[in-house]
């Protein structure tokens, strides 16, 4: 589950650096959640821990993921043939064409059409 959540969050980003950072942050946050939920011991390696100082980054990542999700999958009652979101995100991990056409292209168009003072680094 940790891998899947991290990869799907990463798939919604536009650069390799942003995807890598998103996957790492989600993986560590999800591992911390699991520790609290299941009473396990914290990770032995420092790089695998989730410090409280990363909470603002997690907040920003959550905001970006939710916004991108809404941009890509706004309800369209006319088109009932679209694949489920998780299927498209999973497909984009192995197909550059799917990633470019179904995720990166629409997100770049959105950010170009709605410039923001707080534009994410991967959307510039």
């Amino acid at each position: 589950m940790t891998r899947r959540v991290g990869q799907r969050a990463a798939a919604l980003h536009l650069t390799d650096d942003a995807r890598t950072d998103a996957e790492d942050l989600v993986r560590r946050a999800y591992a911390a959640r699991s520790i609290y939920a299941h009473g396990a011991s914290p990770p032995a390696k420092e790089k695998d821990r989730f410090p409280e100082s990363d909470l603002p980054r997690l907040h920003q990542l959550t905001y970006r993921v939710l916004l991108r999700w809404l941009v890509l999958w706004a309800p369209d009652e006319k088109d009932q043939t679209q694949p489920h979101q998780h299927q498209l995100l999973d497909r984009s991990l192995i197909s550059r064409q799917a990633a470019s056409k179904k995720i990166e292209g629409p997100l770049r168009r959105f950010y170009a059409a709605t410039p923001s003072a707080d534009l994410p680094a991967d959307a510039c």
Side-chain angles (χ1 to χ4, degrees), residues 11-31:
L12 291 168
H13 288 79
L14 302 171
T15 65
D16 286 346
D17 286 342
R19 283 188 288 271
T20 302
D21 289 345
E23 191 279 332
D24 177 65
L25 189 61
V26 169
R27 178 183 45 78
R28 290 185 300 108
Y30 198 88

Side-chain angles (χ1 to χ4, degrees), residues 25-102:
L25 189 61
V26 169
R27 178 183 45 78
R28 290 185 300 108
Y30 198 88
R33 183 222 63 96
S34 294
I35 288 167
Y36 295 121
H38 305 293
S41 298
K45 297 179 184 174
E46 185 66 34
K47 73 176 185 73
D48 293 330
R49 294 185 184 170
F50 192 82
E52 190 173 326
S53 60
D54 277 346
L55 285 175
R57 287 183 55 222
L58 181 61
H59 178 265
Q60 286 297 317
L61 175 65
T62 302
Y63 173 80
R64 284 193 312 270
V65 166
L66 290 174
L67 174 62
R68 292 165 190 223
W69 188 277
L70 291 171
V71 167
L72 292 171
W73 291 289
D76 184 359
E77 289 79 25
K78 297 175 202 164
D79 186 4
Q80 298 298 318
T81 63
Q82 292 181 341
H84 291 285
Q85 294 90 339
H86 67 277
Q87 292 170 324
L88 182 56
L89 291 171
D90 291 348
R91 182 72 181 155
S92 74
L93 294 172
I94 58 172
S95 169
R96 286 299 313 141
Q97 182 180 13
S100 178
K101 183 178 178 183
K102 299 291 186 176

